[in-house]
Structures are given as structure tokens and as C-alpha cells.
Amino acid sequence: MNRYPTKMAGTFEETYHLEKPQILPFLESEDGKCVMSSLQEQEGCVIKVMEIDTEDTSTRVNLSFLKQQITEVADDVIVSSVGSNLDMLTGQLSRCVLEAAGKEIGEECRKKCPTGLNVGGMVVTSGGRLKCKAIYHCCLPPWSNKQLSPEDVLKQVVSSCITTASTEGYKSIAFPALGSGNLGYPKYVTVASIVDTVREFCDVPLSLADVHVVGLQEDLDFEKAYKRYQHKVTASEDKSSETITIGKLRLVLLEGEITDDCSDVIVHPTTKQLSFDSGDVSATLRIKCGNGFVEECQAEARDMKEKGLFLSGAPGLLCTNILHTAPKHFGSWKKTVKKCIKHVDATDEYTSIAFPAVPADTFPGSPGDAYKKAAWEMVAAVTTLQTTTVTTIRVFCPNQSLLATYTEAVLRAIPDLCTKAGRLKSRIKALKRTPFTTKVPTEDGVLETPSSSVLKTMPATEHRSRNESAALVTVFCQENKCDVIFKKLSDRCDEDYSRIVADQRTLKLKSSQTEDLLVVAKKEGVAVDIVEDSGTVILKGPYNGLTKVSHHLDEMLQTVAEFGFVAYPICWEGVDTDQRVFCVAEGSREYICVKNNLMKSFGDKAKRVTILKIERIQLPHLYRQFQIERQTVQKEHPSQDNQRILWHGTDIEAVPNINKYGFNRSYSGKHASQYGQGVYFATSAIYSSDDKYSPPDTYGIKYIYQARVLTGRYTKGEATMRDAPLVNPTKSVRFNSTTDNASRPSLFSIFRDTYSYPEYLISFQLSV
């Protein structure tokens, strides 16, 4: 272990060089993130991880914008959207693709998916009459259906397209403005999803060389959104800025030109007559936006004279809008700042706003005095604000000298930031918004090539040759215990470099299979200890190799024909005892994963949830039955994910029975049976936590189960159904479950008790 004290050692910040085999991919994995998250909560600290630079000798994936019709793109793959019923005539994009590629494409879709396409699913067809080799037709939920997390589904779809294209060996793929037609997706969201997902593949070997974002020549909104988001990505990596957390707001102080900023709204301080001759910002806007824009603003700006505010467009800029304001109308810069932020926040659309540090003709005296006074008034305005959507306020200074003056004045203006410890506390709050970071290239942002319609963007995501066995770990804490925290992190990483597979099926492996396992393990540098007569295999080694060997062992165990042997989850304890309910240790990786699942499902309402206890339910007999059913359903429908993590709310009286026997259909109809007389599960914990399904006990405690459920192949149910209906009346094959909506399910009804397993019981309280 090497330690590198930083200049801020007095404020308890230390950077360490952590060396372990494949430590970097481990810390980047979900397992590693859980380890760090747990330690951060226990110690009240922040842990940041970065890779150590190595020489780049790798190839690049080029990400760029094409001004072209999607059906004219000559890439190997083009992506389109389609409804769950595969009717390509209902959507603008799918209809355009169908007309250009030929009706054979629609027939091919229906042939491959005769029962339709689930939300988030994808069907691959040939390119028909187009220049491409394949078309990926993806099913997205409407933007208005927040229950299905449309932005997350979109990112998942983009990721699936990139993975599939690379697996097939394709070299290029093109994405249009997915979902921005009838589905109502904001074009900025589509752009962000594509760019962010492509960046996630920066260290993944791909066959793809080019990823194109495609928009028509006249589709300026989409092109502008693309350029703006790319600039935002590079701006977020700017290391010269100072970020200060004040309540729920982030105050970001930067050097630069405000008209080059990518915030949602930039503020233009001017006069009541909306003059474009009052200061540097006015002059720059006149040059960049043009005289026509100036004339339009002055002709329409009635609100400016009456209210001192006028919101306009922003032609030629990276921001979405410009808020013109007259500080003299409000009497002070403090009041002006508050009015501007409240005005933007009231739109419920924007999250960021940018101000020049000092408005023209407002603070007399020397530049230094003006910047100090402006800083004090900015702080006075921000510290008394409460916002709904606005979270980031950016302030621009023209040079480093004035930025230093302004920053010092801001720190002195906030009582909590007058000391080093106070400044660290604010810094930790800001860092906790992004507890894990990896180093990314920060070269040129957006560059338009005059001789081409291609917009070159961020340096393409690179397949860098990197040292995966070393990482830089920075620990921030409010007490001088960085060394102790780092040692705990190192020790916990060691614990995750071994795995115990306790599975009776290992006793059934042939000698040739055991020899094959040892060969694979040796190649990956993993030690294997097979405990005779116990069915236990102990694996120790580097994280990536450990993962590969574990997967190889899992695949071999799947070949064991006897279903009676099922591997229990590795977190289970005391399987041979009569105890069936185990309290999960708060702060453990298992606890954090379950907690995160619940909070993510609650979304914006997560702040109302107080978790009192999480208990693991261990029912070996039921678990074996569930796994056998899962294998059977998976064989019937191998091309889809048949198991879901769902939620089931209940009352305190039912808890002992569920903990002992699992979910029982005899309770069906107690609350609802609209879609069949089975056991009901919801995709949203908010739904299951309703008092109708999870009434609080006398102490105000509510109960909800995180359950594994085999939804398999499903259809819309009816109240009279006592079993899942037949898929085909002429055959005896039934659907596995019923739902409220076959294309966008939010509820499932299960008719077999062995199709569900109560994994965790969560006891919690819900504040008003």
C-alpha cells in the first residue's frame, strides 16, 4: 500500500495506491460498489476511485452526429422503435422504416414474435431494401408512464443494441431520436441516454467502430440537444471549478464565458428596455444570436417592463433559454437572483441556471470590491431559497484572478464554510452525489467540420490498455481516520476474493468435469478446494477470474440431471437448523442491495421511507421447488427473462404464515381479484405499500416482501379466472401468469404457489 498525502491533508483527505489482482474491475462492479457504499454509510465518509493512467495503444469507437434520414444511413445496423403489437404503421419512425425497407420487414417481425414484444424487448430483422444489414426494432413505454421508468428502459434498449451489434460483429450502428414522436420522449433525454450508454462501454472490447446519432437536416432541436449534452458531459469533467453545497443546491463557481455554458437557462442582466448594449454579456449575445434575435426580443418583451423578467429562446447557444432581467427593477442583485431562480423553478422543466458573477452597472468601485459584494449577495439569495426542480446554480467569472476573489468571498459569506472542517463538510455533501467515479478522456467537446455534415464529438470511447490490478483510492472524512477507513476497505475487498459454493450437485459431477474445472481455474489463476462428501467447493483468486470460474461451475451444475439438488443463495446461514427467518445485518452488502431496490422502486417518495428491519426468509423446501419450476419455465421460454423481482404488501397477521409456508392462494381475493384468483405482486413498491394492501400495525409499521416471481409468458387476466388461461384452446399449454396490461404490466397474478418465493421481509414506516 502506498499513500499519497494531498495538499489538503489537514482537512482529512488522503489518496492511496491499492494493489490487488484485478482490483479495479472489482471496485467498478456492483459487488465493489456495495462494499464502498456500506463503508461510506458506516464511517460517514466519501470514497473516490480512479484508475491509474497507462499508455493508450487502443482503438476508438467514434461517436458522431449525422444530418441524414435514418433510412438513408449506410451503417451496418439502424435502430427503430415499434409498439408491443408490432404494428409498424402507428409510429412515425416505424412507419418511415417500413415504407423504405418494404412490407417484408413487418412480416419478419411478426413471424419472429407472434405474440408481440414486451416493453424493453427487441426483435432483429434484415435490412430489406435499405443499405443496412440489420434493423433492431425496440419497444419503449410512453414517456408519460413513469411507473415503468421510461428513461431507464431507453438506456437498457440502447445498451442491448450495442451489445447485440458487437456480438454479431457489426462495425457501425445508427440511433435516431427514439421515442420523440408519439411516445413523447424529450429529445434531450434521448440524446443523454445514447451518449451516456455509449460512454459506459469505454472499456469493453467491441467490434463497433462507429456509433451515429441521426437527425434530419431540418431537425435543429435534436442536433442542438446533442451538441448541448456533449458539451455538458465535458463541462462536468472540468477540474478547475469549485462546487459548494448549500442545502439541496449546488453552487458551482467557474472561469469562462456564460454564453458558452450548457445550463438549462442562462441569465442576461440588462435594463427594463432590454438593451443589448449594457455590458459584456449583452454584447456577446448580440454577436452570437444575431441582430434578428435582438429585434425579436425587444419587440416582444412586454414582461420586461412590467415584471423585470423575460424568458426567450437561445438561437446558436448550448443553453435552452435565456432569462433577461433588470436588476434595477428589483432594487438589488440579491432580490434579482432569487426572482430568477424562482421563475425558472416554477416552470418544473429545468434543473440548472447560470449567472454572470457581476451584472453590469450594479456594483460601483474596483473590480475586486464589486466581485466581493456580488458574492455576498449571491450567497444571501441562495441560502434562503427552497426549490423544487432547480438543483444547480453556476456562476461565471471572466478570469482566474477574479474567480479566486469571488470564491474566497463566497466561502467567507457562509458561516459554515469559514473553517477548513466546514468546507470539507460541504465538499463531502457534493461528492456523495457521485460516490464512484472513473477517469474519462477530457479532450475537445463539440467540433463542427465545415466540409462535412458530420459533427465530431467527445473523443470516442477508448479501449484503453489499463492496469486492472491497481487503483487510486481517495478517502474524505471529517475525523482524522483515513488510514483506518482505507484498511477496512482493503480487508473487505479481500473477503470478496473468495467464494464458497455449497451445492449437493457437485457430488454428481463426473471426473472429466472436475478436471475441466481445474484446467479453467488454473488458467484464470484461481485456487479450487473441493471438500469431499460435503458438496462444497471453495474458490479463491482474482475477481475477474473468480467470476469466470464461478460461471463455468454454474454451467456444469446445470447439466446435472437430478433436479432434487439446488444451490441455496450464498448469503444463507444455518440451513440445517429449524430457524427460517434471519435478520440481515444493517450496513452489510446484502442489506444495502435490498434497501437500494426498495428505494429505487419508491422513486421520488423514497425520502418518506424509514426502514426498521430487513429479514431474510429461508425455506429450503419451497426454494428447491421454486428453482425447479424456474428451470422448467426457462426451458419453455428460453429467449426471455422469466423471473422478476416484485413486491407484495401484507398485514401483520399474514406475516407468520408467509414466513413459514410462502405465498398461499387461499388468501387471494382478500384485497382484489380483478385479474384472476391468484396471489398478486406489483412492479412498484409504492403500489404494494398502499394501506389497502399493507395496513400499518398498532405501532404504525408496514410490511412488504421483496419476492422472486416466475411471470414467464403472461396475458391480461379476468376476475373469474381460477387458473392461467390456455395459450391455445386446442392445446393444454397455459400461460404462466396473468397481468393488468400485457404490454405494460404493473401487476401480476400467480396461480401456482411454487411460482413465487418470499425472499425478504421489509418492516418500515411511511411518513406523510
Side-chain angles (χ1 to χ4, degrees):
M1 177 190 79
N2 296 321
R3 188 177 78 170
Y4 303 96
T6 68
K7 294 179 181 178
M8 296 185 65
T11 58
F12 316 122
E13 170 189 344
E14 298 286 354
T15 299
Y16 305 85
H17 189 172
L18 180 60
E19 293 186 358
K20 293 180 186 292
Q22 296 173 349
I23 184 64
L24 194 57
F26 170 70
L27 291 175
E28 292 172 343
S29 70
E30 289 302 317
D31 289 340
K33 290 177 184 178
C34 279
V35 168
M36 289 191 292
S37 178
S38 171
L39 193 56
Q40 286 177 148
E41 286 198 5
Q42 288 179 356
E43 300 293 341
C45 66
V46 172
I47 300 171
K48 303 272 281 185
V49 175
M50 295 180 69
E51 69 180 67
I52 297 174
D53 284 335
T54 57
E55 185 179 356
D56 178 23
T57 60
S58 55
T59 58
R60 294 184 171 190
V61 173
N62 295 304
L63 177 63
S64 55
F65 190 93
L66 290 178
K67 296 179 183 178
Q68 205 169 1
Q69 172 69 264
I70 185 68
T71 54
E72 297 173 358
V73 175
D75 284 355
D76 292 341
V77 179
I78 68 169
V79 181
S80 179
S81 59
V82 68
S84 57
N85 60 0
L86 298 178
D87 183 358
M88 299 180 70
L89 293 174
T90 56
Q92 298 174 12
L93 178 60
S94 59
R95 184 171 62 251
C96 175
V97 170
L98 180 66
E99 291 172 352
K103 63 180 182 180
E104 296 82 4
I105 297 301
E107 294 170 358
E108 196 175 342
C109 274
R110 289 187 291 273
K111 185 177 179 180
K112 290 191 174 183
C113 292
T115 60
L117 195 60
N118 287 337
V119 170
M122 178 177 70
V123 58
V124 180
T125 68
S126 63
R129 297 196 296 260
L130 302 182
K131 300 174 185 177
C132 63
K133 298 176 182 177
I135 304 174
Y136 292 173
H137 308 266
C138 307
C139 183
L140 298 173
W143 179 251
S144 58
N145 192 337
K146 298 303 182 183
Q147 214 173 24
L148 290 177
S149 303
E151 187 171 356
D152 292 338
V153 174
L154 177 57
K155 289 182 179 180
Q156 174 192 323
V157 163
V158 174
S159 180
S160 297
C161 289
I162 292 174
T163 303
T164 304
S166 186
T167 302
E168 295 297 323
Y170 292 127
K171 301 297 183 184
S172 56
I173 187 170
F175 291 93
L178 292 171
S180 61
N182 296 337
L183 294 176
Y185 284 63
K187 292 178 179 178
Y188 188 74
V189 169
T190 300
V191 162
S193 298
I194 296 171
V195 173
D196 287 346
T197 305
V198 170
R199 288 170 65 84
E200 288 176 3
F201 283 87
C202 65
D203 296 312
V204 180
L206 298 173
S207 68
L208 289 172
D210 293 286
V211 176
H212 292 129
V213 181
V214 182
L216 296 174
Q217 187 80 21
E218 60 270 21
D219 194 0
L220 298 178
D221 289 345
F222 192 43
E223 179 187 343
K224 181 179 176 181
Y226 177 79
K227 293 170 68 176
R228 179 169 159 254
Y229 189 74
Q230 286 288 54
H231 186 79
K232 196 166 191 173
V233 168
T234 55
S236 68
E237 296 161 2
D238 182 10
K239 302 297 186 293
S240 63
S241 63
E242 177 78 27
T243 300
I244 299 166
T245 300
I246 303 176
K248 294 182 179 180
L249 294 171
R250 293 172 66 245
L251 184 62
V252 185
L253 313 180
L254 306 108
E255 174 196 5
E257 172 57 60
I258 190 173
T259 56
D260 292 333
D261 189 42
C262 55
S263 294
D264 294 321
V265 177
I266 67 169
V267 174
H268 168 216
T270 179
T271 63
K272 286 186 179 182
Q273 292 73 35
L274 219 167
S275 169
F276 280 80
D277 298 310
S278 54
D280 294 339
V281 177
S282 296
T284 306
L285 287 177
R286 179 183 287 277
I287 294 171
K288 290 188 175 182
C289 298
N291 288 328
F293 168 75
V294 172
E295 293 170 2
E296 288 177 12
C297 286
Q298 291 175 336
E300 298 178 11
R302 295 178 182 176
D303 288 346
M304 194 69 180
K305 297 176 182 178
E306 299 174 6
K307 302 178 182 179
L309 293 168
F310 170 63
L311 191 67
S312 74
L317 303 185
L318 293 170
C319 62
T320 303
N321 290 98
I322 302 170
L323 182 60
H324 310 272
T325 185
K328 289 185 179 180
H329 176 86
F330 300 107
S332 71
W333 184 230
K334 171 187 171 181
K335 292 180 180 178
T336 304
V337 169
K338 291 183 71 171
K339 285 288 184 181
C340 288
I341 296 174
K342 286 182 177 180
H343 186 80
V344 172
D345 191 60
T347 64
D348 288 331
E349 293 182 44
Y350 304 126
T351 61
S352 57
I353 183 172
F355 292 87
V358 177
D361 303 325
T362 304
F363 296 99
S366 67
D369 289 341
Y371 274 77
K372 289 177 183 177
K373 292 176 183 176
W376 278 82
E377 293 207 21
M378 174 63 72
V379 170
V382 174
T383 50
T384 56
L385 271 175
Q386 288 188 343
T387 59
T388 303
T389 59
V390 172
T391 58
T392 303
I393 301 166
R394 295 160 72 87
V395 181
F396 284 84
C397 299
N399 57 56
Q400 278 289 340
S401 174
L402 291 175
L403 175 61
T405 300
Y406 192 89
T407 302
E408 182 181 0
V410 167
L411 294 176
R412 290 184 180 277
I414 304 174
D416 290 343
L417 301 184
C418 291
T419 64
K420 288 184 178 180
R423 288 196 288 275
L424 175 65
K425 184 177 180 180
S426 175
R427 191 173 182 187
I428 285 178
K429 285 183 179 179
L431 286 169
K432 280 186 175 179
R433 296 176 184 269
T434 52
F436 182 87
T437 60
T438 54
K439 199 163 186 176
V440 291
T442 57
E443 299 175 13
D444 296 339
V446 180
L447 173 64
E448 184 161 7
T449 309
S451 60
S452 170
S453 63
V454 177
L455 294 174
K456 292 293 182 183
T457 60
M458 70 173 196
T461 51
E462 302 174 2
H463 307 154
R464 294 168 303 206
S465 173
R466 63 176 190 166
N467 180 8
E468 294 192 333
S469 296
L472 288 178
V473 177
T474 302
V475 179
F476 303 85
C477 61
Q478 292 175 266
E479 298 178 27
N480 192 9
K481 56 178 183 178
C482 294
D483 290 352
V484 175
I485 294 171
F486 176 75
K487 186 177 185 307
K488 287 184 178 180
L489 174 64
S490 180
D491 291 343
R492 292 192 185 184
C493 289
D494 285 339
E495 294 173 8
D496 283 276
Y497 273 59
S498 63
R499 292 184 187 173
I500 300 175
V501 180
D503 189 336
Q504 291 291 308
R505 287 180 296 174
T506 58
L507 299 174
K508 301 290 183 178
L509 293 177
K510 299 176 182 177
S511 58
S512 59
Q513 291 177 307
T514 303
E515 291 173 4
D516 180 49
L517 175 66
L518 295 174
V519 169
V520 173
K522 183 177 181 181
K523 181 180 177 182
E524 299 296 335
V526 174
V528 179
D529 183 10
I530 301 176
V531 182
E532 295 183 4
D533 302 326
S534 71
T536 301
V537 177
I538 302 172
L539 306 174
K540 291 184 179 181
Y543 183 74
N544 280 359
L546 196 65
T547 302
K548 290 179 182 178
V549 175
S550 296
H551 286 168
H552 186 72
L553 177 57
D554 288 341
E555 289 175 359
M556 286 198 303
L557 294 179
Q558 294 299 325
T559 66
V560 178
E562 190 171 355
F563 276 125
F565 297 116
V566 173
Y568 299 127
I570 197 169
C571 58
W572 276 27
E573 51 191 313
V575 177
D576 297 330
T577 68
D578 292 332
Q579 186 176 349
R580 293 294 173 255
V581 181
F582 293 80
C583 193
V584 179
E586 186 173 353
S588 67
R589 184 172 59 189
E590 182 184 9
Y591 184 97
I592 291 171
C593 287
V594 178
K595 174 185 174 182
N596 289 346
N597 285 345
L598 183 72
M599 295 306 187
K600 183 178 179 181
S601 188
F602 265 95
D604 294 340
K605 296 183 179 179
K607 57 187 177 183
R608 296 176 52 201
V609 178
T610 302
I611 296 178
L612 305 176
K613 182 169 56 173
I614 297 177
E615 295 170 290
R616 184 193 323 112
I617 312 302
Q618 295 185 186
L619 306 173
H621 177 68
L622 179 59
Y623 187 82
R624 285 197 298 271
Q625 290 180 318
F626 175 79
Q627 291 299 331
I628 292 170
E629 294 281 20
R630 185 181 67 82
Q631 294 174 29
T632 302
V633 174
Q634 195 62 40
K635 284 185 177 182
E636 294 173 353
H637 313 295
S639 62
Q640 66 183 55
D641 188 2
N642 298 289
Q643 176 182 267
R644 294 176 183 241
I645 300 296
L646 300 176
W647 306 96
H648 180 90
T650 190
D651 54 33
I652 185 62
E653 287 78 12
V655 165
N657 277 324
I658 295 176
N659 287 352
K660 190 172 183 179
Y661 303 110
F663 299 110
N664 193 314
R665 281 175 295 169
S666 62
Y667 292 99
S668 68
K670 182 176 180 181
H671 298 300
S673 58
Q674 188 176 355
Y675 305 106
Q677 299 173 28
V679 180
Y680 280 76
F681 299 89
T683 58
S684 168
I686 296 177
Y687 187 96
S688 297
S689 65
D690 188 278
D691 285 352
K692 180 179 179 181
Y693 310 109
S694 173
D697 63 14
T698 53
Y699 300 100
I701 301 173
K702 299 168 75 68
Y703 302 90
I704 189 172
Y705 283 91
Q706 176 183 299
R708 293 187 177 272
V709 183
L710 298 177
T711 56
R713 192 175 180 183
Y714 48 83
T715 187
K716 186 172 181 178
E718 296 177 2
T720 57
M721 292 179 178
R722 299 183 63 83
D723 200 352
L726 295 170
V727 176
N728 188 327
T730 62
K731 298 180 180 179
S732 59
V733 179
R734 293 184 179 274
F735 285 96
N736 301 108
S737 62
T738 58
T739 181
D740 60 330
N741 188 317
S743 60
R744 296 187 296 274
S746 60
L747 286 175
F748 287 94
S749 178
I750 305 298
F751 299 89
R752 295 188 185 182
D753 297 342
T754 52
Y755 267 26
S756 59
Y757 183 81
E759 197 172 20
Y760 294 97
L761 171 63
I762 305 170
S763 305
F764 67 103
Q765 289 179 319
L766 205 58
S767 62
V768 179

